[in-house]
Amino acid sequence: MTKRARVKRLAAMLCSLTVFTLSGCWNYREVDKMTTVAGIAIDKGEDGQIKLTVEMVDGSGGQDAMSVGSSRISLSGKTMFDIVRRMITESGNRLYWAHAKSIILSEEIARDGAAKIIDWYVRDSETRADIHILVSGEETAEEVLSSDGNSGEPLSYKIDDILKNENSVSNSPVIEIFDFADTINTPGISSLLPMVYSSENKEAKTASIRGSAVFDIDRMLGRIDAPKTKFVLFLRDEIKGGILTLGGYNQPPGISLEIFKNKTKVEPVLVDGQVEIRVKTHTVTAVDEVQENVDYYTAKGRAEIERMAEDMLVKGMENAIEIAQKRYKQDIFGFGDRIHKKMPKAWKSLEPDWDEEFSRLKVSVQAKVEIKRTASTKKPIKTEEEES
């Protein structure tokens, strides 16, 4: 048999084998007999039980049914799986979890320990690990999930859209449940989750994501507001975009720099036998707004703005480090994980009491800001007053 004939024969055999893979799905269920879950809110119920609120897409068809609207059901129970199964009697159908976009934990649940609550979701074969996880900034998680405005569109899909566009703001981390579960079990880094609030917009309630929740393993300790969270993200090398603001309205210079690119380098070093951390950030920006008569169109003017932005970045990151070290004693930047990878012997002695070691860790910060280009107008707009 020639080589070409052997290749043809092998190809025919492979094609015949694919027939078996096209015969159907072993766990196939009729779509019209299932209800699609859009999002989940978890609160504490009465008598120490869990209260689970599920947002459902009206109709069927998963994400294609977004325009149809949404509804919610709530049940309480002792375990998540028990509640999920009993929800069949409320919805009339089995619940389909693969299109769920967000899990919102109440602060009470988060402070009591999130691991035991999300265990079922991570473990179950019908769920997906790429769902976003957040902490409610309101009294309950259900209150946020009920903020669907007047459109009826699933709020969980709106939250998903907000998080997908978070790169344009960089005021909150974007965390999926798998990443959160992985961080819980990773030494040398503490978890950080986004905070979600119910906000008023044109007399309708909707969701607003800003700031972060700080965790010790799986227990929430407190919050960091949105402006400070931005600097935390710089230290975690998670800045993909956003704005750097110098001054503001009636607070010269009133400049907005749009971030195009950022790279943060975290390097553990040994100094006199002690481990220290050196952080260097390099941020590429453009001038996008100038409220005052500021020289940004000459090399000298841009250099001055770059210096102001660098000073602001350094102070902001140093303040974020102080909050993490003094207020929470939690390494939300992953410095310990960097030490573990680069200096395993040093990490071995630091790991047993890392929270205390981190609180005393010396960290130096440097920032370099580059203005690569500006908006189309070359010079700032001047009023007659300024020209006279």
Side-chain angles (χ1 to χ4, degrees), residues 269-338:
V269 295
L270 273 177
V271 179
D272 298 327
Q274 298 295 314
V275 176
E276 297 182 3
I277 294 290
R278 292 176 182 171
V279 178
K280 294 181 180 179
T281 65
H282 182 194
T283 312
V284 178
T285 68
V287 176
D288 214 54
E289 178 186 17
V290 179
Q291 294 181 352
E292 303 287 336
N293 184 18
V294 177
D295 172 13
Y296 65 89
Y297 45 90
T298 67
K300 183 179 178 181
R302 287 195 298 272
E304 178 61 19
I305 296 171
E306 288 170 349
R307 183 194 62 77
M308 288 189 289
E310 289 164 357
D311 289 345
M312 184 266 289
L313 264 179
V314 168
K315 289 177 183 176
M317 287 188 286
E318 288 177 343
N319 185 40
I321 291 167
E322 184 177 6
I323 291 170
Q325 287 184 320
K326 307 306 178 188
R327 186 188 302 175
Y328 296 122
K329 293 187 177 182
Q330 294 300 310
D331 181 7
I332 55 177
F333 316 113
F335 293 159
D337 186 48
R338 299 294 180 95

Side-chain angles (χ1 to χ4, degrees), residues 337-362:
D337 186 48
R338 299 294 180 95
I339 297 169
H340 180 205
K341 290 173 180 175
K342 186 175 180 180
M343 301 176 174
K345 289 185 179 179
W347 175 248
K348 192 174 181 179
S349 62
L350 295 171
E351 182 181 5
D353 197 18
W354 178 237
D355 289 351
E356 287 298 327
E357 296 287 353
F358 168 74
S359 69
R360 298 190 294 266
L361 183 68
K362 185 175 179 180

Side-chain angles (χ1 to χ4, degrees), residues 48-320:
Q49 292 190 327
I50 305 165
K51 182 181 179 183
L52 179 64
T53 301
V54 171
E55 183 180 36
M56 304 171 299
V57 178
D58 284 346
S60 60
Q63 295 182 60
D64 293 335
M66 285 173 59
S67 60
V68 176
S70 65
S71 59
R72 287 172 295 276
I73 55 175
S74 297
L75 276 180
S76 296
K78 295 181 179 179
T79 68
M80 289 284 288
F81 192 55
D82 169 56
I83 301 169
V84 168
R85 278 299 169 88
R86 287 193 293 111
M87 276 189 168
I88 297 173
T89 62
E90 296 287 326
S91 68
N93 292 325
R94 287 182 67 93
L95 300 182
Y96 181 62
W97 299 88
H99 288 319
K101 297 296 184 183
S102 60
I103 292 179
I104 304 173
L105 307 177
S106 71
E107 184 168 328
E108 190 177 11
I109 285 285
R111 286 185 178 275
D112 195 41
K116 57 190 176 184
I117 296 298
I118 66 172
D119 179 82
W120 165 77
Y121 200 93
V122 174
R123 189 184 301 272
D124 196 271
S125 61
E126 295 184 6
T127 59
R128 290 174 56 176
D130 60 354
I131 187 172
H132 294 115
I133 182 167
L134 311 93
V135 176
S136 171
E138 308 299 340
E139 187 173 347
T140 66
E142 182 185 7
E143 183 178 346
V144 176
L145 200 61
S146 300
S147 306
D148 56 3
N150 297 321
S151 68
E153 180 186 332
L155 182 79
S156 302
Y157 291 151
K158 294 181 185 177
I159 289 173
D160 184 56
D161 289 338
I162 293 170
L163 290 170
K164 284 178 179 176
N165 291 295
E166 175 59 27
N167 289 346
S168 300
V169 185
S170 294
N171 282 339
S172 185
V174 178
I175 307 293
E176 294 177 349
I177 196 169
F178 177 82
D179 296 322
F180 179 62
D182 186 53
T183 302
I184 287 174
N185 295 303
T186 301
I189 182 169
S190 296
S191 297
L192 201 68
L193 290 184
M195 298 291 302
V196 58
Y197 298 83
S198 176
S199 61
E200 295 282 346
N201 187 2
K202 296 180 181 179
E203 299 182 354
K205 285 190 174 183
T206 186
S208 173
I209 298 173
R210 58 186 187 273
S212 52
V214 178
F215 283 75
D216 178 3
I217 307 178
D218 72 324
R219 294 175 184 269
M220 179 178 168
L221 299 180
R223 309 181 188 188
I224 299 178
D225 65 25
K228 293 182 178 67
T229 296
K230 183 189 292 287
F231 298 109
V232 174
L233 298 180
F234 267 101
L235 289 157
R236 289 165 63 104
D237 194 25
E238 293 179 5
I239 291 288
K240 301 293 187 296
I243 305 296
L244 293 178
T245 304
L246 305 177
Y249 186 65
N250 288 334
Q251 293 179 327
I255 295 176
S256 294
L257 300 177
E258 183 176 4
I259 300 169
F260 287 122
K261 185 169 61 174
N262 179 79
K263 178 62 181 176
T264 300
K265 183 179 179 182
V266 176
E267 184 181 11
V269 295
L270 273 177
V271 179
D272 298 327
Q274 298 295 314
V275 176
E276 297 182 3
I277 294 290
R278 292 176 182 171
V279 178
K280 294 181 180 179
T281 65
H282 182 194
T283 312
V284 178
T285 68
V287 176
D288 214 54
E289 178 186 17
V290 179
Q291 294 181 352
E292 303 287 336
N293 184 18
V294 177
D295 172 13
Y296 65 89
Y297 45 90
T298 67
K300 183 179 178 181
R302 287 195 298 272
E304 178 61 19
I305 296 171
E306 288 170 349
R307 183 194 62 77
M308 288 189 289
E310 289 164 357
D311 289 345
M312 184 266 289
L313 264 179
V314 168
K315 289 177 183 176
M317 287 188 286
E318 288 177 343
N319 185 40

Side-chain angles (χ1 to χ4, degrees), residues 1-18:
M1 185 182 294
T2 65
K3 182 178 179 181
R4 185 165 183 170
R6 286 198 301 268
V7 171
K8 284 185 176 180
R9 185 176 180 181
L10 178 60
M13 290 174 62
L14 290 173
C15 288
S16 65
L17 286 173
T18 61

